[in-house]
Coordinates of all heavy atoms in Angstrom, one line a residue:
M287 N 57.1 -30.6 23.6 CA 56.2 -29.7 24.3 C 55.8 -28.5 23.4 O 54.6 -28.2 23.3 CB 56.9 -29.2 25.6 CG 56.0 -28.6 26.6 SD 54.8 -29.7 27.2 CE 53.8 -28.6 28.2
G288 N 56.8 -27.9 22.8 CA 56.5 -26.8 21.9 C 55.6 -27.1 20.8 O 54.7 -26.4 20.4
K289 N 55.9 -28.3 20.2 CA 55.1 -28.8 19.1 C 53.6 -29.0 19.4 O 52.7 -28.7 18.7 CB 55.7 -30.2 18.6 CG 56.7 -30.0 17.4 CD 57.0 -31.3 16.9 CE 58.2 -31.2 15.8 NZ 58.6 -32.5 15.4
L290 N 53.4 -29.6 20.6 CA 52.0 -29.8 21.1 C 51.3 -28.5 21.2 O 50.1 -28.4 20.9 CB 52.1 -30.5 22.5 CG 50.8 -31.1 22.9 CD1 50.4 -32.3 22.1 CD2 50.8 -31.5 24.4
L291 N 52.0 -27.5 21.7 CA 51.3 -26.2 21.9 C 50.9 -25.6 20.6 O 49.8 -25.1 20.4 CB 52.3 -25.3 22.6 CG 51.7 -24.1 23.4 CD1 51.1 -24.6 24.7 CD2 52.7 -23.0 23.7
V292 N 51.8 -25.8 19.6 CA 51.5 -25.3 18.2 C 50.3 -26.0 17.7 O 49.4 -25.4 17.0 CB 52.7 -25.4 17.3 CG1 52.4 -25.2 15.9 CG2 53.8 -24.5 17.7
L293 N 50.3 -27.4 17.9 CA 49.2 -28.2 17.4 C 47.8 -27.7 18.0 O 46.8 -27.6 17.3 CB 49.5 -29.7 17.8 CG 48.6 -30.7 16.9 CD1 49.2 -30.8 15.5 CD2 48.6 -32.0 17.6
I294 N 47.8 -27.5 19.3 CA 46.6 -27.0 20.0 C 46.2 -25.7 19.4 O 45.0 -25.5 19.2 CB 46.9 -27.0 21.5 CG1 47.0 -28.4 22.1 CG2 45.7 -26.2 22.2 CD1 47.5 -28.4 23.5
L295 N 47.1 -24.8 19.3 CA 46.8 -23.5 18.7 C 46.2 -23.6 17.3 O 45.2 -22.9 17.0 CB 48.1 -22.7 18.6 CG 48.3 -21.8 19.9 CD1 49.7 -21.2 19.8 CD2 47.3 -20.7 20.0
L296 N 46.7 -24.5 16.5 CA 46.2 -24.7 15.2 C 44.8 -25.3 15.2 O 43.9 -24.8 14.4 CB 47.1 -25.7 14.4 CG 48.3 -25.1 13.7 CD1 49.2 -26.2 13.1 CD2 47.9 -24.2 12.6
V297 N 44.5 -26.2 16.1 CA 43.2 -26.8 16.2 C 42.2 -25.7 16.7 O 41.1 -25.5 16.1 CB 43.2 -28.0 17.2 CG1 41.8 -28.4 17.6 CG2 43.9 -29.1 16.7
V298 N 42.6 -24.9 17.7 CA 41.7 -23.8 18.2 C 41.5 -22.8 17.0 O 40.3 -22.4 16.8 CB 42.4 -23.1 19.4 CG1 41.6 -21.8 19.7 CG2 42.4 -24.0 20.6
L299 N 42.5 -22.5 16.3 CA 42.3 -21.6 15.2 C 41.4 -22.2 14.1 O 40.5 -21.5 13.6 CB 43.7 -21.3 14.6 CG 43.7 -20.1 13.7 CD1 43.8 -18.8 14.5 CD2 45.0 -20.1 12.7
A300 N 41.5 -23.5 13.8 CA 40.7 -24.1 12.8 C 39.2 -24.1 13.2 O 38.3 -23.8 12.4 CB 41.2 -25.5 12.6
V301 N 39.0 -24.4 14.5 CA 37.6 -24.4 15.0 C 37.0 -23.0 14.9 O 35.9 -22.8 14.5 CB 37.6 -24.9 16.5 CG1 36.2 -24.7 17.1 CG2 37.9 -26.4 16.5
W302 N 37.8 -22.1 15.3 CA 37.4 -20.7 15.3 C 37.0 -20.2 13.8 O 36.0 -19.6 13.6 CB 38.5 -19.8 15.8 CG 38.1 -18.3 15.9 CD1 37.2 -17.7 16.7 CD2 38.6 -17.3 15.0 NE1 37.1 -16.4 16.4 CE2 37.9 -16.1 15.4 CE3 39.5 -17.3 13.9 CZ2 38.2 -14.9 14.7 CZ3 39.7 -16.1 13.3 CH2 39.1 -14.9 13.7
V303 N 37.9 -20.6 12.9 CA 37.6 -20.2 11.5 C 36.3 -20.9 11.0 O 35.5 -20.3 10.3 CB 38.8 -20.6 10.6 CG1 38.5 -20.5 9.1 CG2 40.0 -19.7 10.9
I304 N 36.2 -22.2 11.3 CA 35.0 -22.9 10.8 C 33.7 -22.3 11.4 O 32.7 -22.1 10.8 CB 35.1 -24.4 11.2 CG1 36.2 -25.1 10.3 CG2 33.8 -25.2 11.0 CD1 36.7 -26.4 10.8
R305 N 33.8 -22.0 12.8 CA 32.6 -21.4 13.4 C 32.2 -20.1 12.8 O 31.1 -19.8 12.6 CB 32.9 -21.2 14.9 CG 32.6 -22.4 15.8 CD 32.9 -22.0 17.2 NE 32.0 -22.6 18.1 CZ 32.0 -22.3 19.4 NH1 32.9 -21.5 19.9 NH2 31.2 -22.8 20.3
R306 N 33.3 -19.3 12.5 CA 33.1 -18.0 11.9 C 32.4 -18.2 10.5 O 31.5 -17.4 10.2 CB 34.4 -17.3 11.8 CG 34.2 -15.8 12.1 CD 35.6 -15.2 12.0 NE 35.5 -13.9 11.2 CZ 36.4 -13.5 10.4 NH1 37.5 -14.1 10.2 NH2 36.2 -12.3 9.8
A307 N 32.9 -19.1 9.8 CA 32.3 -19.4 8.4 C 30.9 -19.8 8.5 O 30.1 -19.4 7.7 CB 33.2 -20.4 7.7
F308 N 30.6 -20.6 9.5 CA 29.2 -21.0 9.7 C 28.3 -19.9 10.0 O 27.2 -19.7 9.4 CB 29.1 -22.0 10.8 CG 28.9 -23.5 10.3 CD1 30.0 -24.3 10.2 CD2 27.7 -23.9 10.1 CE1 29.9 -25.6 9.7 CE2 27.5 -25.2 9.6 CZ 28.6 -26.1 9.4
R309 N 28.8 -19.1 10.9 CA 27.9 -17.9 11.3 C 27.7 -16.9 10.2 O 26.7 -16.3 10.0 CB 28.7 -17.2 12.5 CG 27.7 -16.8 13.6 CD 28.3 -16.1 14.7 NE 29.0 -17.0 15.6 CZ 29.8 -16.7 16.6 NH1 30.2 -15.4 16.7 NH2 30.3 -17.5 17.4
A310 N 28.8 -16.8 9.4 CA 28.7 -15.8 8.3 C 27.8 -16.3 7.2 O 27.1 -15.5 6.5 CB 30.1 -15.6 7.7
S311 N 27.7 -17.6 7.0 CA 26.9 -18.1 5.9 C 25.4 -18.2 6.2 O 24.6 -18.3 5.3 CB 27.4 -19.5 5.5 OG 27.1 -20.5 6.5
R312 N 25.1 -18.2 7.5 CA 23.7 -18.3 7.8 C 22.8 -17.2 7.4 O 21.8 -17.4 6.7 CB 23.6 -18.5 9.4 CG 23.3 -19.9 9.7 CD 22.9 -20.1 11.1 NE 22.9 -21.5 11.5 CZ 22.8 -21.9 12.8 NH1 22.5 -21.0 13.7 NH2 22.8 -23.2 13.0
P313 N 23.2 -15.9 7.7 CA 22.3 -14.8 7.3 C 22.3 -14.7 5.8 O 21.3 -14.3 5.2 CB 22.9 -13.6 7.9 CG 24.0 -14.1 8.9 CD 24.3 -15.5 8.4
A314 N 23.3 -15.1 5.1 CA 23.4 -14.9 3.7 C 22.5 -15.8 3.0 O 22.1 -15.6 1.8 CB 24.9 -15.2 3.2
R315 N 22.2 -16.9 3.6 CA 21.3 -17.9 3.0 C 19.9 -17.4 2.8 O 19.2 -17.7 1.9 CB 21.2 -19.2 3.9 CG 21.6 -20.4 3.1 CD 21.2 -21.6 3.8 NE 22.4 -22.4 4.3 CZ 22.3 -23.4 5.2 NH1 21.2 -23.6 5.8 NH2 23.4 -24.0 5.5
E316 N 19.4 -16.6 3.8 CA 18.1 -16.0 3.7 C 18.0 -15.0 2.6 O 18.7 -14.0 2.7 CB 17.7 -15.4 5.1 CG 17.4 -16.5 6.1 CD 17.0 -15.9 7.4 OE1 16.4 -14.8 7.4 OE2 17.3 -16.6 8.4
P317 N 17.2 -15.2 1.6 CA 17.2 -14.3 0.5 C 16.6 -12.9 0.9 O 15.5 -12.8 1.4 CB 16.2 -15.0 -0.5 CG 15.5 -16.0 0.3 CD 16.2 -16.3 1.5
E318 N 17.4 -11.9 0.6 CA 16.9 -10.5 1.0 C 16.0 -10.0 -0.1 O 15.2 -9.1 0.1 CB 18.1 -9.6 1.0 CG 19.1 -10.0 2.1 CD 18.9 -9.0 3.3 OE1 18.6 -7.9 3.1 OE2 19.1 -9.5 4.5
K319 N 16.0 -10.7 -1.3 CA 15.2 -10.2 -2.4 C 13.7 -10.5 -2.2 O 12.9 -9.8 -2.8 CB 15.7 -10.9 -3.7 CG 16.8 -10.2 -4.4 CD 17.0 -10.9 -5.7 CE 18.2 -10.4 -6.5 NZ 18.5 -11.2 -7.6
R320 N 13.5 -11.5 -1.4 CA 12.1 -12.0 -1.3 C 11.0 -10.9 -1.1 O 10.0 -10.9 -1.9 CB 12.0 -13.0 -0.2 CG 11.3 -14.3 -0.7 CD 11.2 -15.2 0.5 NE 10.5 -16.4 0.1 CZ 10.2 -17.4 1.0 NH1 10.6 -17.2 2.2 NH2 9.6 -18.5 0.6
P321 N 11.1 -10.1 -0.1 CA 10.1 -9.1 0.1 C 9.8 -8.2 -1.1 O 8.7 -7.9 -1.4 CB 10.6 -8.2 1.3 CG 11.8 -8.9 1.8 CD 12.2 -10.0 0.8
L322 N 10.9 -7.9 -1.8 CA 10.8 -7.1 -3.0 C 10.0 -7.8 -4.1 O 9.2 -7.2 -4.8 CB 12.2 -6.7 -3.5 CG 12.3 -5.2 -3.9 CD1 13.7 -4.7 -3.5 CD2 12.1 -5.1 -5.4
E323 N 10.3 -9.1 -4.3 CA 9.7 -9.9 -5.3 C 8.2 -10.1 -5.0 O 7.4 -10.2 -5.9 CB 10.4 -11.2 -5.5 CG 11.7 -11.0 -6.3 CD 12.5 -12.3 -6.4 OE1 12.0 -13.3 -5.9 OE2 13.5 -12.3 -7.0
Q324 N 7.9 -10.2 -3.7 CA 6.5 -10.4 -3.4 C 5.6 -9.2 -3.6 O 4.4 -9.3 -3.7 CB 6.5 -10.9 -1.9 CG 6.8 -12.3 -1.8 CD 6.8 -12.7 -0.3 OE1 6.9 -11.9 0.6 NE2 6.8 -14.0 0.0
Q325 N 6.3 -8.0 -3.6 CA 5.5 -6.8 -3.8 C 4.9 -6.8 -5.2 O 5.4 -7.3 -6.1 CB 6.4 -5.6 -3.6 CG 6.6 -5.2 -2.2 CD 7.4 -3.9 -2.1 OE1 7.5 -3.2 -3.0 NE2 7.9 -3.7 -0.9
D326 N 3.8 -6.1 -5.3 CA 3.2 -5.9 -6.6 C 4.0 -4.9 -7.4 O 4.5 -3.9 -6.9 CB 1.8 -5.2 -6.4 CG 0.7 -6.2 -5.9 OD1 1.1 -7.4 -5.9 OD2 -0.4 -5.8 -5.6
L327 N 4.2 -5.3 -8.6 CA 4.9 -4.4 -9.5 C 3.9 -3.6 -10.3 O 2.8 -4.1 -10.7 CB 5.7 -5.2 -10.5 CG 7.1 -5.8 -10.0 CD1 7.7 -6.6 -11.1 CD2 8.0 -4.7 -9.6
V328 N 4.1 -2.3 -10.4 CA 3.2 -1.4 -11.1 C 4.0 -0.8 -12.2 O 5.2 -0.8 -12.2 CB 2.6 -0.4 -10.1 CG1 1.7 -1.0 -9.1 CG2 3.7 0.5 -9.5
R329 N 3.2 -0.3 -13.2 CA 3.8 0.3 -14.4 C 3.7 1.8 -14.4 O 2.6 2.3 -14.1 CB 3.1 -0.3 -15.6 CG 3.9 -0.1 -16.9 CD 3.2 -1.0 -18.0 NE 3.6 -0.5 -19.3 CZ 3.0 0.4 -19.9 NH1 1.9 1.0 -19.4 NH2 3.4 0.8 -21.1
C330 N 4.7 2.5 -14.6 CA 4.7 3.9 -14.7 C 3.8 4.3 -15.9 O 4.0 3.8 -17.0 CB 6.1 4.5 -14.9 SG 6.1 6.3 -15.2
A331 N 2.8 5.2 -15.7 CA 1.9 5.6 -16.8 C 2.6 6.5 -17.8 O 2.1 6.7 -18.9 CB 0.7 6.3 -16.2
R332 N 3.7 7.0 -17.5 CA 4.5 7.9 -18.3 C 5.5 7.1 -19.2 O 5.5 7.2 -20.4 CB 5.2 9.0 -17.5 CG 6.0 9.9 -18.3 CD 5.2 11.0 -18.9 NE 6.0 11.8 -19.8 CZ 5.6 12.9 -20.4 NH1 4.3 13.2 -20.3 NH2 6.3 13.6 -21.2
C333 N 6.4 6.4 -18.6 CA 7.5 5.8 -19.3 C 7.4 4.3 -19.4 O 8.1 3.7 -20.1 CB 8.8 6.2 -18.7 SG 9.1 5.6 -17.1
G334 N 6.5 3.7 -18.6 CA 6.2 2.3 -18.7 C 7.2 1.4 -18.0 O 7.1 0.2 -18.1
V335 N 8.0 2.0 -17.1 CA 9.0 1.2 -16.3 C 8.2 0.5 -15.2 O 7.2 1.1 -14.7 CB 10.1 2.1 -15.8 CG1 9.7 3.0 -14.6 CG2 11.3 1.3 -15.4
H336 N 8.6 -0.7 -14.9 CA 8.0 -1.4 -13.8 C 8.8 -1.1 -12.5 O 10.0 -1.2 -12.4 CB 8.0 -2.9 -14.1 CG 7.0 -3.2 -15.1 ND1 7.2 -3.1 -16.5 CD2 5.7 -3.7 -15.1 CE1 6.2 -3.5 -17.2 NE2 5.2 -3.8 -16.3
L337 N 8.0 -1.0 -11.4 CA 8.6 -0.7 -10.1 C 7.7 -1.2 -9.0 O 6.5 -1.3 -9.2 CB 9.0 0.8 -9.9 CG 7.8 1.8 -9.8 CD1 8.3 3.0 -9.1 CD2 7.3 2.1 -11.2
P338 N 8.2 -1.5 -7.8 CA 7.4 -1.9 -6.7 C 6.4 -0.8 -6.3 O 6.7 0.4 -6.4 CB 8.3 -2.1 -5.5 CG 9.7 -2.2 -6.1 CD 9.6 -1.4 -7.4
R339 N 5.2 -1.2 -6.0 CA 4.1 -0.3 -5.6 C 4.5 0.7 -4.6 O 4.1 1.9 -4.6 CB 2.9 -1.1 -5.2 CG 1.7 -0.3 -4.9 CD 0.5 -1.1 -4.6 NE -0.1 -1.8 -5.7 CZ -1.0 -1.3 -6.5 NH1 -1.5 -0.1 -6.3 NH2 -1.5 -1.9 -7.6
S340 N 5.3 0.2 -3.6 CA 5.7 1.1 -2.5 C 6.6 2.3 -2.9 O 6.7 3.3 -2.3 CB 6.4 0.3 -1.4 OG 7.6 -0.2 -1.9
E341 N 7.2 2.1 -4.1 CA 8.1 3.1 -4.6 C 7.4 4.0 -5.6 O 8.0 5.0 -6.1 CB 9.4 2.5 -5.2 CG 10.3 2.0 -4.2 CD 11.5 1.2 -4.8 OE1 11.9 1.6 -5.9 OE2 12.0 0.3 -4.3
A342 N 6.2 3.7 -6.0 CA 5.5 4.4 -7.0 C 4.9 5.7 -6.5 O 4.6 5.8 -5.3 CB 4.5 3.5 -7.7
R343 N 4.8 6.7 -7.3 CA 4.0 7.9 -7.0 C 2.7 7.9 -7.6 O 2.5 7.4 -8.8 CB 4.8 9.1 -7.5 CG 6.2 9.3 -7.0 CD 6.2 9.9 -5.6 NE 7.5 10.0 -5.1 CZ 8.3 9.0 -4.6 NH1 7.8 7.8 -4.6 NH2 9.5 9.2 -4.2
Q344 N 1.7 8.3 -6.9 CA 0.3 8.3 -7.4 C -0.1 9.7 -7.7 O 0.1 10.6 -6.9 CB -0.6 7.6 -6.4 CG -1.9 7.1 -7.1 CD -2.7 6.2 -6.2 OE1 -2.3 5.9 -5.1 NE2 -3.9 5.8 -6.7
A345 N -0.7 9.9 -8.8 CA -1.3 11.2 -9.2 C -2.5 11.0 -10.1 O -2.3 10.3 -11.1 CB -0.2 12.0 -9.8
E346 N -3.6 11.6 -9.8 CA -4.8 11.5 -10.6 C -5.2 10.1 -11.0 O -5.5 9.7 -12.1 CB -4.6 12.3 -11.9 CG -4.4 13.8 -11.7 CD -3.7 14.5 -12.9 OE1 -3.8 14.0 -14.0 OE2 -3.1 15.6 -12.6
G347 N -5.0 9.2 -10.0 CA -5.5 7.8 -10.1 C -4.5 7.0 -10.9 O -4.8 5.8 -11.2
R348 N -3.4 7.5 -11.4 CA -2.4 6.7 -12.1 C -1.1 6.6 -11.3 O -0.9 7.4 -10.4 CB -2.1 7.4 -13.4 CG -3.2 7.3 -14.4 CD -2.9 8.3 -15.6 NE -4.1 8.4 -16.5 CZ -4.2 7.6 -17.5 NH1 -3.4 6.6 -17.8 NH2 -5.3 7.7 -18.3
L349 N -0.3 5.6 -11.6 CA 0.9 5.4 -10.9 C 2.1 5.8 -11.8 O 2.1 5.5 -13.0 CB 1.0 3.9 -10.5 CG 0.0 3.5 -9.4 CD1 -0.2 2.0 -9.4 CD2 0.5 4.1 -8.0
Y350 N 3.1 6.4 -11.2 CA 4.3 6.8 -11.9 C 5.6 6.4 -11.2 O 5.5 6.1 -10.0 CB 4.3 8.4 -12.0 CG 3.1 8.9 -12.8 CD1 2.0 9.3 -12.1 CD2 3.1 9.0 -14.2 CE1 0.8 9.7 -12.8 CE2 2.0 9.5 -14.8 CZ 0.9 9.8 -14.1 OH -0.2 10.3 -14.8
C351 N 6.7 6.4 -11.9 CA 7.9 5.9 -11.3 C 8.6 7.0 -10.4 O 9.4 6.6 -9.6 CB 8.9 5.5 -12.4 SG 9.5 6.9 -13.5
G352 N 8.2 8.2 -10.6 CA 8.8 9.2 -9.8 C 8.1 10.5 -9.8 O 7.1 10.7 -10.5
E353 N 8.5 11.5 -9.0 CA 7.9 12.7 -8.8 C 7.7 13.5 -10.1 O 6.7 14.0 -10.4 CB 8.7 13.6 -7.8 CG 7.9 14.5 -7.0 CD 7.0 13.8 -6.0 OE1 7.6 13.1 -5.1 OE2 5.8 13.9 -6.0
E354 N 8.7 13.4 -10.9 CA 8.7 14.2 -12.2 C 7.7 13.6 -13.1 O 7.0 14.4 -13.8 CB 10.1 14.1 -12.8 CG 10.3 15.3 -13.8 CD 11.7 15.3 -14.4 OE1 12.6 14.7 -13.8 OE2 11.8 15.8 -15.5
H355 N 7.7 12.3 -13.3 CA 6.7 11.7 -14.2 C 5.2 11.9 -13.7 O 4.3 12.1 -14.5 CB 7.0 10.2 -14.4 CG 8.1 10.1 -15.4 ND1 8.6 8.9 -15.8 CD2 8.9 11.0 -16.0 CE1 9.6 9.0 -16.7 NE2 9.8 10.3 -16.8
A356 N 5.1 11.9 -12.3 CA 3.8 12.2 -11.8 C 3.3 13.6 -12.1 O 2.1 13.8 -12.4 CB 3.8 12.0 -10.3
R357 N 4.3 14.5 -12.1 CA 4.0 15.9 -12.5 C 3.7 16.1 -14.0 O 2.8 16.8 -14.4 CB 5.2 16.8 -12.1 CG 4.9 18.3 -12.1 CD 6.0 19.1 -11.3 NE 7.3 18.6 -11.7 CZ 8.0 19.0 -12.8 NH1 7.4 19.8 -13.6 NH2 9.2 18.6 -13.0
L358 N 4.4 15.4 -14.8 CA 4.3 15.4 -16.2 C 3.0 14.8 -16.7 O 2.4 15.2 -17.7 CB 5.4 14.8 -16.9 CG 6.8 15.6 -16.9 CD1 7.9 14.7 -17.3 CD2 6.7 16.8 -17.7
G359 N 2.5 13.8 -15.9 CA 1.3 13.1 -16.3 C 1.5 12.0 -17.4 O 2.7 11.8 -17.8
A360 N 0.4 11.4 -17.8 CA 0.6 10.2 -18.7 C 0.7 10.6 -20.1 O 1.0 9.8 -21.0 CB -0.6 9.3 -18.5
G361 N 0.4 11.8 -20.5 CA 0.3 12.3 -21.8 C 1.7 12.2 -22.6 O 2.7 12.2 -21.9
G362 N 1.6 12.0 -23.9 CA 2.9 11.9 -24.6 C 3.6 13.2 -24.8 O 4.8 13.1 -25.1
A363 N 3.0 14.3 -24.7 CA 3.6 15.6 -24.9 C 4.5 15.9 -23.7 O 5.6 16.3 -23.8 CB 2.5 16.7 -25.0
Ligands
LIG152 ZN1 8.2 7.0 -15.5

C-alpha cells in the first residue's frame, strides 16, 4: 500500500516536472532579438558606431549614437 502511494506520488511529480519544462521552453523559443534585427541600423556621424534607428539621436539632419555626440557634431575636432 505504501509503495503504491509512493509510486503515484512519483508519477504525479514526473508529470508536473514535464509540464513545467514544456511551459518554460515555449516562450524561450520565440526569438526576442527579432524586432531589434528588423530595425534599421544607422551609423553615428561622429564615431561610426552602428545602432538601431530608434536609439539614435538626430541633430542637423545627421544621426548620432548619443546626446553627447549629437552635441559635438560630425566634425573631427
Ligand atoms: Zn557616436
Side-chain angles (χ1 to χ4, degrees):
M287 195 64 185
K289 266 189 185 175
L290 193 73
L291 205 76
V292 169
L293 198 76
I294 288 166
L295 267 172
L296 275 173
V297 169
V298 168
L299 195 78
V301 168
W302 180 73
V303 167
I304 288 164
R305 270 181 143 185
R306 217 178 136 218
F308 254 95
R309 222 181 278 169
S311 72
R312 254 192 197 174
R315 235 196 246 165
E316 285 180 31
E318 296 257 330
K319 269 187 190 171
R320 226 183 180 184
L322 222 143
E323 280 174 4
Q324 279 177 344
Q325 275 184 20
D326 282 351
L327 280 180
V328 296
R329 194 169 162 274
C330 175
R332 176 81 185 183
C333 66
V335 78
H336 287 82
L337 69 156
R339 184 176 284 272
S340 62
E341 286 174 32
R343 299 281 180 283
Q344 198 168 0
E346 293 160 25
R348 288 168 188 271
L349 291 160
Y350 299 93
C351 65
E353 211 69 63
E354 200 178 338
H355 281 182
R357 193 165 44 80
L358 288 166

